[in-house]
Amino acid sequence: MKTFIFALFTLLLAPLASAAPEFKEGVEYTVVKETASSKPEVTEFFSYICPHCYSFQPLMSKLEERVPEAQINKVPVPFLGRELGPILQRAYGAAVLLEVEDQLTPAIFDQIHRQKKTPGSMEEIKAIFVANGVEASAFDGVINSFALNGMVAQYDKATESFNVRGTPTIVVKGKYELNMGEIGSEERFYRVVEYLLAAD
């Protein structure tokens, strides 16, 4: 009789076990804001100078293909690379304004991490833009523009708001920050993001 009761109890618990969440707060992710954004979005805080960010770009590209309904945002942080940090931050914003970010981000990453030729000034950044088809006058027109200054202010505000101190930092729906060290594999990274995109 006891065996039957134990078996019945086990069967009753089985649906509860299967309904347990695949990922847990405090393990794969941390709640960093009380309210999630109303739209599906994934934000990557990054720096061109960061080797982990360079290695991470193929995963972000695959993520974009895997969750086409989500808006993928990139926020360049200024605190890596000393004086170069703010320059690279402006470089990203300029690429966005000139609508060449898809070409320039791989080019800047490649020059820094594969070619080992880190640009040391805005003039050297400009040379990368020109080498990738951007008119010098177009670059000059945006690099110190009011629009770019506003974008940089927003980048800094977001970095401070989420207390970002390392890169890459991934935030889903403006509420959940991934604990990258706990995720363990590329496939789990995608699944955690998908899970959080579906969360409240």
Side-chain angles (χ1 to χ4, degrees), residues 121-131 134 136-137 139-140:
S121 66
M122 190 61 79
E123 279 302 309
E124 292 181 23
I125 290 291
K126 179 179 176 178
I128 300 174
F129 275 69
V130 171
V134 176
S137 59
F139 179 87
D140 292 339

Side-chain angles (χ1 to χ4, degrees), residues 96-135:
V96 171
L97 285 175
L98 292 167
E99 299 182 351
V100 292
E101 189 269 330
D102 286 349
Q103 303 108 275
L104 265 296
T105 284
I108 295 171
F109 269 130
D110 183 83
Q111 179 161 323
I112 293 173
H113 298 284
R114 192 181 67 81
Q115 299 179 43
K116 307 298 182 185
K117 297 178 181 177
T118 302
S121 66
M122 190 61 79
E123 279 302 309
E124 292 181 23
I125 290 291
K126 179 179 176 178
I128 300 174
F129 275 69
V130 171
N132 284 274
V134 176
E135 293 289 336

Side-chain angles (χ1 to χ4, degrees), residues 176-189:
Y176 309 102
E177 180 181 324
L178 271 59
N179 298 330
M180 301 302 293
E182 298 293 335
I183 290 174
S185 72
E186 180 177 338
E187 179 60 27
R188 275 176 61 81
F189 165 70

Side-chain angles (χ1 to χ4, degrees), residues 136-154:
S137 59
F139 179 87
D140 292 339
V142 302
I143 199 62
N144 292 307
S145 65
F146 178 81
L148 183 52
N149 290 340
M151 290 174 68
V152 168
Q154 289 299 313

